[in-house]
Amino acid sequence: MTTANCANCGAEIERRNIATRVVACAYCDTTQVFEDDAFKLAGKQGVMLDVPTLFKIGEAVKIEGRQMTPLGHARFSYGRGWWDEFWCETQNGMIWVSVDEGDVAIERPVPAENTPQDFDAQLGAETKIEGINYRVTEAETAECLAVRGEFPELLEVGEKHLYFDLAGPSGEIVTLEQWEDQSAWFFGRWVDPWKVKAVPT
């Protein structure tokens, strides 16, 4: 863990993971980009309305026996509702946990060499990834509403991107996010929210 001062208010901010690029200052509601061992002002955190959640920044949980600690919390709107993304530290690296209307999914990046070269974005279209056919089940625009904590990439409040959800034959899920000239693929799977357990402190 390293510390540096907020570029806006001067408060000391902790950077808990070496992969962290962006940290939200809890004191002045700004986001900071970590560059050259210092924080630089990036934007606003946005308004995060408090709702009951299984995940809280800095509080470890176990999912199916695997322990993870959320370091960052982002909220995204998709028109008819919103979902939360948590960037979590585990013993084996970092993962993303998505929570949408109580449904919980664990996701990890798809290795660049395994991402499909041709992608048909039409609903119902199939794409093969690592030998498995995935069907497009959802295509929407997401908008970042608010961020808290720290992240491996710059998330800006108000930023919009396209996303596509794909489903595999045995419950596997894949997500594609697209913005400007960039894209990111993620493998995932649904987990039983009743198997998310708090780790006693």
Side-chain angles (χ1 to χ4, degrees):
M1 181 172 62
T2 59
T3 60
N5 294 102
C6 171
N8 185 56
C9 72
E12 188 174 80
I13 303 176
E14 293 180 347
R15 178 175 176 251
R16 291 184 268 188
N17 189 279
I18 195 169
T20 296
R21 289 199 57 235
V22 174
V23 177
C25 176
Y27 300 95
C28 67
D29 294 332
T30 60
T31 55
Q32 316 280 315
V33 178
F34 191 77
E35 293 179 0
D36 303 322
D37 297 326
F39 287 114
K40 297 179 181 176
L41 191 61
K44 288 287 186 183
Q45 288 190 51
V47 177
M48 183 83 74
L49 299 175
D50 288 329
V51 296
T53 178
L54 298 169
F55 301 90
K56 295 181 182 175
I57 293 175
E59 296 184 14
V61 297
K62 278 190 177 180
I63 300 180
E64 299 173 343
R66 183 181 185 187
Q67 184 167 316
M68 56 194 68
T69 303
L71 299 184
H73 176 191
R75 182 163 292 164
F76 295 90
S77 162
Y78 59 100
R80 64 185 184 280
W82 50 264
W83 83 92
D84 290 323
E85 294 272 354
F86 297 88
W87 190 51
C88 299
E89 188 171 42
T90 75
Q91 289 181 326
N92 299 316
M94 306 299 294
I95 62 168
W96 288 92
V97 175
S98 300
V99 182
D100 186 358
E101 297 181 359
D103 293 326
V104 178
I106 297 175
E107 299 181 288
R108 62 176 175 81
V110 176
E113 63 273 15
N114 296 339
T115 57
Q117 299 303 309
D118 298 313
F119 174 64
D120 184 348
Q122 300 297 313
L123 290 176
E126 289 192 349
T127 297
K128 183 171 283 191
I129 305 173
E130 294 188 352
I132 298 175
N133 283 328
Y134 293 87
R135 186 180 304 274
V136 179
T137 58
E138 185 175 7
E140 293 281 358
T141 298
E143 179 180 355
C144 183
L145 298 178
V147 295
R148 296 289 182 271
E150 54 191 271
F151 300 92
E153 62 201 48
L154 179 59
L155 298 177
E156 295 186 77
V157 172
E159 177 187 68
K160 296 182 179 181
H161 67 270
L162 293 173
Y163 74 89
F164 302 88
D165 287 338
L166 297 84
S170 302
E172 311 94 335
I173 55 176
V174 165
T175 301
L176 167 62
E177 298 177 0
Q178 291 182 330
W179 60 102
E180 296 177 354
D181 58 346
Q182 300 180 56
S183 63
W185 291 85
F186 299 89
F187 278 131
R189 63 184 179 87
W190 298 108
V191 297
D192 185 345
W194 292 102
K195 293 185 178 179
V196 179
K197 304 295 183 184
V199 175
T201 55

